[in-house]
Amino acid sequence: MGRSCSNSDGCQRIAVLGATGSIGTQTLDVARRHPDLVKVVSLAVNSHVEKAVCLAREFGVGNLAIGDESRRDDPALAGLPAGCRVGFGPEAVRELAQLDGTDLVLNALMGAAGLEASYATLKAGKVLALANKESLVVGGDLIMPLATHETLLPVDSEHSAIYQCYLGENPAEAYRIWLTCSGGPFRGMTRDELAQVTAEQALAHPTWTMGPKITIDSSTLMNKGLEAIEAHHLFNVPVDKVKIVIQPQSCIHSMVEYVDGSIKAHLGAADMRIPIQFALSYPHRWETPCPRIDFATLGKLDFFEPDYETFRCLTLALDAGRTGGTMPCAMSAANEVAVAAFLAGRCRLTDIDAVVQTVMEAHRTAPVESIAQLEEVDAESRRAASAALLALG
Ligand code: MG
């Protein structure tokens, strides 16, 4: 089995949504290494027009979408290559996902815009390489019915690892998933110590190179809670069958344990270009310039239980995942607002979980029905989170 490219030359024609972010940049790096196997045909960015125009020229793309409509008159657009069409606004980003001549859409958009793009991609029958967390955390109930094993490839290192551990297996014979976690920069801290942490300290993540929002989420362990919800949707297992374990070396990227007690682990260097490339190369594997693990010098692998009392964001996210329906949407929106406030120096790191908890307690969960409904829950939860931040004083 395996998907086939629609092109006679065997080259994947890809759209990269969120092209100037951390994942987008590393995706383009993979494309540069494999020009015979990957052709970038479209790019979407939010507001980095100058960078986008540079990339459009480099890759000779035919379509560019700028999410921020206020950039229509950006002088940098004069530098677009001949024949490159440009559109503005969320509609233009969604359209890129549906264009003929695109085989795969790599969705590394930030936030809720990513959910609409994921939905459009799968509706259009394209392969979705997914790096946008909201698509599954918030919209898993809408996205998963459209997806198959062959059309939804996770890009996140943990989910790519789990996907690979499932290859050749009967999913019904899986006993549980071991979702690994670096522990973040504040592992071992007490609640009081955590309250004193600055944004600068939180942004100095030990292992992976990532954008600021996910870096803060990694430091509060919210990111791991979001990933548990994603794993629950992607692999159709209950949230409580996703067991989180801290693996500080970030060498084991996750594991799947089967009913007979056998455990398959996925190991590799902590370099996002490896899972990104797998999403593009599947069902094949290509050479990589990434560093390789040398077990002779690796030394040891450590494992710890997460501290659910100190890192309450993790506990809250798992609760939201168990509740399901619109609760993860409310939880995620509240977290986004609180993280932005922390980055702006307007609250403490430990206020993030306080805000999330307040919003979750006030939210009345309903089954997920539509993107429009989720947008309403998102907006309402953001208002509630802003009010909760004000109430902190
Ligand atoms: Mg991850």
Side-chain angles (χ1 to χ4, degrees):
M1 272 232 311
R3 66 172 190 255
S4 56
C5 294
S6 51
N7 307 296
S8 52
D9 58 4
C11 186
Q12 289 260 44
R13 303 195 194 286
I14 72 166
V16 182
L17 313 186
T20 54
S22 174
I23 296 292
T25 301
Q26 294 179 83
T27 300
L28 295 174
D29 198 30
V30 170
R32 276 184 200 100
R33 303 271 174 185
H34 300 286
D36 48 333
L37 297 167
V38 179
K39 168 101 179 91
V40 181
V41 295
S42 307
L43 295 172
V45 302
N46 184 41
S47 57
H48 289 100
V49 176
E50 204 177 328
K51 186 82 199 292
V53 168
C54 266
L55 293 169
R57 293 181 75 90
E58 180 189 346
F59 289 96
V61 307
N63 304 280
L64 175 65
I66 316 279
D68 181 351
E69 302 199 47
S70 71
R71 305 286 164 141
R72 273 176 196 280
D73 301 320
D74 197 304
L77 289 167
L80 273 179
C84 179
R85 297 188 314 142
V86 60
F88 298 88
E91 185 64 29
V93 176
R94 260 199 315 279
E95 275 170 15
L96 278 197
Q98 299 168 304
L99 287 176
D100 286 343
T102 304
D103 305 310
L104 179 147
V105 176
L106 187 129
N107 181 357
L109 292 171
M110 291 264 297
L115 168 58
E116 294 196 35
S118 288
Y119 194 82
T121 299
L122 291 169
K123 273 279 185 200
K126 317 280 187 197
V127 175
L128 174 63
L130 186 59
N132 167 266
K133 289 209 150 87
E134 286 76 7
S135 295
L136 291 175
V137 170
V138 174
D141 292 338
L142 298 175
I143 293 294
M144 290 314 294
L146 301 176
T148 68
H149 181 76
E150 303 297 321
T151 60
L152 177 48
L153 273 290
V155 165
D156 206 354
S157 61
E158 293 82 357
H159 304 93
S160 177
I162 297 164
Y163 186 96
Q164 294 178 60
C165 291
Y166 267 108
L167 290 177
E169 301 289 345
N170 176 356
E173 291 167 0
Y175 175 72
R176 65 182 156 185
I177 289 169
W178 287 92
L179 182 68
T180 55
C181 173
S182 75
F186 310 129
R187 182 170 62 85
M189 275 193 182
T190 65
R191 190 78 189 160
D192 288 344
E193 288 165 336
L194 203 61
Q196 304 305 318
V197 160
T198 64
E200 205 172 41
Q201 289 170 299
L203 289 172
H205 191 270
T207 321
W208 300 91
T209 313
M210 305 176 293
K213 197 266 179 181
I214 183 175
T215 301
I216 300 304
D217 283 346
S218 296
S219 79
T220 61
L221 303 196
M222 171 56 87
N223 184 55
K224 209 46 57 177
L226 299 178
E227 289 183 354
I229 300 174
E230 287 183 278
H232 146 71
H233 284 295
L234 271 172
F235 305 107
N236 194 25
V237 295
V239 171
D240 288 317
K241 284 285 185 183
V242 181
K243 185 91 175 109
I244 296 162
V245 65
I246 292 179
Q247 207 289 288
Q249 290 87 2
S250 294
C251 181
I252 297 181
H253 298 149
S254 280
M255 303 176 265
V256 179
E257 179 175 343
Y258 290 92
V259 286
D260 65 353
S262 298
I263 300 169
K264 286 169 83 174
H266 176 282
L267 291 83
D271 189 317
M272 281 308 296
R273 290 173 300 176
I274 296 175
I276 290 168
Q277 179 172 299
F278 179 80
L280 302 182
S281 72
Y282 175 79
H284 303 288
R285 293 185 187 272
W286 304 334
E287 285 289 322
T288 180
C290 296
R292 289 177 184 278
I293 285 183
D294 178 357
F295 285 100
T297 57
L298 181 65
K300 59 175 182 170
L301 293 172
D302 295 313
F303 302 93
F304 303 95
E305 174 87 347
D307 178 350
Y308 291 95
E309 299 292 320
T310 303
F311 295 90
R312 286 180 202 159
C313 279
L314 174 58
T315 309
L316 290 167
L318 294 174
D319 282 347
R322 280 183 206 105
T323 304
T326 52
M327 185 58 94
C329 176
M331 178 273 297
S332 172
N335 179 59
E336 272 190 47
V337 170
V339 168
F342 172 71
L343 284 169
R346 289 191 285 115
C347 72
R348 296 175 304 174
L349 193 67
T350 45
D351 291 332
I352 296 174
D353 58 66
V355 168
V356 170
Q357 184 169 353
T358 302
V359 172
M360 282 176 64
E361 279 168 2
H363 180 66
R364 300 231 315 261
T365 304
V368 172
E369 282 160 6
S370 66
I371 291 181
Q373 170 213 24
L374 289 170
E375 280 170 353
E376 262 176 50
V377 171
D378 179 88
E380 177 195 299
S381 305
R382 281 171 197 273
R383 282 192 296 273
S386 298
L389 276 164
L390 281 176
L392 288 171

